[in-house]
């Protein structure tokens, strides 16, 4: 089997998973971080007009290149991505008590910032849904090597799907280039993984693709809480 046919099988499987979610798990939503993997899923969902909502967490600390993706998506698909923003009082309290960049001070301070700016808005976005979708891949980091395509997300009481779990980085870029999918300009500036501006740096050739995320922490702590409950990764029950 050559490489192209293996890619085509992975693509066909991903489309089948998305179609199954759209028909059997309504209402379902896709949490897009507006990075390359998320644009593959956005393109697959919107071109097929699948019944899956798409939202993004606007943390208030995103790069201008990431925010520019909202206009690119509107221009390409005539669709507005729904934005969920942090509670303003919670952000103001954190900044007043700890400072605007306190996430550099400790893992706990970083996780508290992620809780306010990402986890609480995510919980609002997932309210009353039957399933949610992410663009995570196994090959992305030490924390994702056992990622399943379908998981029982006990914390949110719903199913969680990672339809790109077995995709390689080459698969992602092959899809983007062959389908003219718009992508975040930061990917051309050494950012394979993109988060908030103060917590993401460009990486050097040969570094792990998530080495630029919270680079001052050790690899095992590098999740934002979106996929973590009570300090543990939510990989409780792969299906
Ligand atoms: S990634 Fe950084 S700025 Fe963004 S929510 Fe987490 S700690 Fe805060």
């Amino acid at each position: 089997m050559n490489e192209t046919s293996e890619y085509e099988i992975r693509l066909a499987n991903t489309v089948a998973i998305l179609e199954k979610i759209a028909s059997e798990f309504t209402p379902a939503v896709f949490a897009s971080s507006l990075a390359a993997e998320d644009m593959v899923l956005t393109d697959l969902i919107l071109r097929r007009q699948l019944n899956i909502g798409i939202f993004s967490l606007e943390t208030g600390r995103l790069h201008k290149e990431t925010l520019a993706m909202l206009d690119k998506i509107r221009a390409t698909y005539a669709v507005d991505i729904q934005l969920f923003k942090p509670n303003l009082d919670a952000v103001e309290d954190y900044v007043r008590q700890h400072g605007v960049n306190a996430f550099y001070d400790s893992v706990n301070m970083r996780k508290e910032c992620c809780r306010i700016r990402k986890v609480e808005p995510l919980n609002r976005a997932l309210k009353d849904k039957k399933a949610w979708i992410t663009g995570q891949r196994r090959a992305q980091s030490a924390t994702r090597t056992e990622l399943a395509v379908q998981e029982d997300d006990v914390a949110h009481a719903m199913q969680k799907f990672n339809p790109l779990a077995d995709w390689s980085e080459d698969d992602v870029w092959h899809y983007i280039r062959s389908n003219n999918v718009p992508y975040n300009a930061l990917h051309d500036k050494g950012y394979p993984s993109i988060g908030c501006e103060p917590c993401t740096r460009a990486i050097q050739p040969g570094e792990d693709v998530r080495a630029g995320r919270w680079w001052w922490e050790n690899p095992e702590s590098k999740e934002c809480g979106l996929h973590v409950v009570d300090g543990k990764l939510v990989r409780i029950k792969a299906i």
Side-chain angles (χ1 to χ4, degrees):
M1 191 179 294
N2 64 37
E3 210 168 292
T4 303
S5 66
E6 287 183 5
Y7 161 79
E8 282 165 359
I9 289 168
R10 285 193 284 276
L11 175 58
N13 286 341
T14 295
V15 170
I17 292 161
L18 291 173
E19 288 174 342
K20 174 181 155 153
I21 296 167
S23 64
E24 297 178 20
F25 293 90
T26 310
V29 282
F30 165 44
S32 169
S33 69
L34 306 169
E37 287 80 3
D38 304 282
M39 290 313 302
V40 170
L41 290 173
T42 297
D43 191 80
L44 289 169
I45 290 168
L46 294 180
R47 284 196 199 284
R48 285 168 177 74
Q49 300 189 320
L50 297 177
N51 185 19
I52 297 171
I54 305 177
F55 72 89
S56 197
L57 303 176
E58 211 293 58
T59 64
R61 302 299 301 258
L62 299 178
H63 297 82
K64 66 181 188 315
E65 291 89 342
T66 302
L67 293 172
M69 288 306 300
L70 299 169
D71 289 336
K72 288 189 191 178
I73 291 169
R74 189 180 304 118
T76 306
Y77 307 101
V79 164
D80 282 322
I81 301 295
Q82 189 177 12
L83 297 180
F84 284 83
K85 300 184 179 185
N87 177 290
L88 194 54
D89 288 342
V91 170
E92 287 180 355
D93 282 351
Y94 178 95
V95 171
R96 193 182 311 113
Q97 286 181 43
H98 309 295
V100 73
N101 289 332
F103 37 78
Y104 293 130
D105 295 346
S106 69
V107 172
N108 282 345
M109 276 291 106
R110 197 271 292 167
K111 287 186 174 172
E112 177 61 2
C113 184
C114 284
R115 187 192 67 74
I116 292 168
R117 293 182 184 271
K118 293 181 171 181
V119 177
E120 188 279 327
L122 174 77
N123 290 341
R124 255 187 283 133
L126 297 185
K127 192 170 183 315
D128 299 328
K129 302 298 185 297
K130 275 196 181 158
W132 67 299
I133 302 167
T134 84
Q136 292 183 104
R137 294 186 295 106
R138 281 181 206 125
Q140 279 171 324
S141 76
T143 59
R144 296 184 179 175
T145 54
E146 294 178 18
L147 186 72
V149 170
Q150 182 176 353
E151 298 171 317
D152 193 7
D153 183 346
V154 177
H156 294 110
M158 67 182 69
Q159 293 299 292
K160 179 179 173 189
F161 290 89
N162 309 297
L164 302 182
D166 63 351
W167 282 45
S168 67
E169 190 173 352
D170 284 350
D171 290 341
V172 171
W173 286 101
H174 180 68
Y175 183 93
I176 285 175
R177 299 224 156 86
S178 53
N179 292 282
N180 281 325
V181 177
Y183 65 87
N184 193 319
L186 289 172
H187 290 306
D188 290 334
K189 300 176 185 174
Y191 291 77
S193 178
I194 300 167
C196 291
E197 191 274 333
C199 298
T200 313
R201 65 159 172 77
I203 65 167
Q204 299 301 315
E207 276 192 295
D208 183 89
V209 293
R210 278 174 69 83
R213 304 290 298 279
W214 306 296
W215 64 91
W216 61 94
E217 295 181 4
N218 73 45
E220 285 70 35
S221 66
K222 287 189 187 190
E223 289 289 348
C224 52
L226 302 186
H227 314 291
V228 176
V229 175
D230 294 336
K232 293 186 180 142
L233 289 172
V234 184
R235 307 275 184 271
I236 298 166
K237 192 172 166 195
I239 297 172

